[in-house]
Amino acid sequence: MPDIVLVYCILIIGACLQCVIGFGLGLLCVPFLYWLLPELVPAPMILNALLITTLLAIKHRGEIDVKQTGYSIFGGVIGVLCAAAVMLYVDSEQYRLLLGGCLLLAAGLSLTGWTPKLTMLSNLIASILSGFIGTTTSAGGAPMGLLYQAQNRDKIKANLSIFFVFINLFGILALLVTGYADFNDILLFLKCLPAIIIGWGASYFVNNSINEKATRRLIILVASFSGLALIFIHH
């Protein structure tokens, strides 16, 4: 029971941060949840992300760049298909290493401070990476977040959210086809639902009171240490 309470607390914080700063549900929650309740990664967490990104996309729909979103969805689908192919051939030990490596890659991209120009090519590259990392780990926001970091906060949330609505949907379908997801994952998602809704609701009260820069750094630090732990420490 204490583990379940802790899982709920982590999900509430992650969902709240996702709504406030544009990422956090995957990059913050996945490392902890993999140790506490590994069956939540990746499929139930992808479903959690699908719900929260749908809510954010609806809220910020006026800021969506339809042209760039089309490019990113195309690239994201390529990333999802590559991830599905990889997942067919990895066992639990290999998946642990894959998860750790992807978390380090995501954290590293977030730390670079590089601001690439938003073009069709950069969009395709970032979306392919996000689609791959998002499907294998449910924490794929870093490459696309890096691409959109110079935009205003609402535009970031709108375009990342609508991208991940489609990519999370394709991702969960890919995991179902490859046998990495089943009906039990849907039941686990439903058990997580109250925490996600509470986190979403809480974001309305803390939206202007969070130090975004410090919070981003903390999430990246957690993801980095978690990635290293997954690679070098046996579960």
Side-chain angles (χ1 to χ4, degrees), residues 172-188:
I172 197 65
L173 290 174
L175 292 179
L176 286 168
V177 170
T178 56
Y180 259 82
D182 55 27
F183 186 68
N184 289 328
D185 291 308
I186 297 175
L187 294 178
L188 284 170

Side-chain angles (χ1 to χ4, degrees), residues 6-30 32-33 45 48-49 52 56 195-196 198-200 203 215 219:
L6 187 55
V7 165
Y8 261 57
C9 290
I10 292 168
L11 286 171
I12 289 169
I13 294 170
C16 182
L17 290 176
Q18 182 78 32
C19 293
V20 173
I21 66 175
F23 80 112
L25 183 63
L27 203 55
L28 177 67
C29 294
V30 165
F32 290 112
L33 296 181
M45 280 302 294
N48 288 332
I52 205 76
L56 287 171
I196 299 300
I198 292 170
W200 173 65
S203 69
T215 304
I219 292 173

Side-chain angles (χ1 to χ4, degrees), residues 25-226:
L25 183 63
L27 203 55
L28 177 67
C29 294
V30 165
F32 290 112
L33 296 181
Y34 183 78
W35 295 109
L36 289 171
L37 205 62
E39 53 265 40
L40 288 177
V41 183
M45 280 302 294
I46 289 177
L47 289 170
N48 288 332
L50 176 59
L51 172 61
I52 205 76
T53 52
T54 299
L55 292 171
L56 287 171
I58 292 171
K59 180 181 178 182
H60 300 286
R61 60 189 179 277
E63 296 287 339
I64 293 172
D65 184 330
V66 177
K67 181 179 178 181
Q68 290 295 341
T69 297
Y71 296 143
S72 62
I73 290 173
F74 177 73
V77 170
I78 295 174
V80 169
L81 293 175
C82 292
V86 168
M87 295 291 276
L88 281 172
Y89 299 102
V90 297
D91 57 26
S92 58
E93 178 68 12
Q94 291 167 332
Y95 179 73
R96 179 177 63 82
L97 297 174
L98 177 65
L99 177 59
C102 285
L103 284 172
L104 287 175
L105 175 61
L109 287 171
S110 299
L111 282 170
T112 61
W114 177 47
T115 306
K117 187 177 180 181
L118 181 57
T119 65
M120 182 181 73
L121 181 59
S122 63
N123 200 343
L124 285 172
I125 293 171
S127 58
I128 289 171
L129 285 171
S130 278
F132 181 86
I133 299 173
T135 302
T136 52
T137 69
S138 68
M144 288 296 288
L146 184 67
L147 185 64
Y148 275 92
Q149 64 182 319
Q151 308 297 321
N152 68 65
R153 190 165 68 171
D154 286 343
K155 189 166 186 177
I156 292 172
K157 292 179 188 177
N159 289 281
L160 294 192
S161 295
I162 193 64
F163 167 71
F164 277 108
V165 167
F166 286 95
I167 297 313
N168 288 326
L169 184 58
F170 288 135
I172 197 65
L173 290 174
L175 292 179
L176 286 168
V177 170
T178 56
Y180 259 82
D182 55 27
F183 186 68
N184 289 328
D185 291 308
I186 297 175
L187 294 178
L188 284 170
F189 158 66
L190 292 174
K191 289 180 181 179
C192 295
L193 193 57
I196 299 300
I197 296 299
I198 292 170
W200 173 65
S203 69
Y204 284 88
F205 297 97
V206 300
N207 195 43
N208 295 316
S209 59
I210 288 181
N211 185 320
E212 290 191 29
K213 185 176 289 188
T215 304
R216 284 174 183 266
R217 288 175 179 171
L218 178 62
I219 292 173
I220 292 165
L221 185 65
V222 168
S224 300
F225 279 116
S226 299

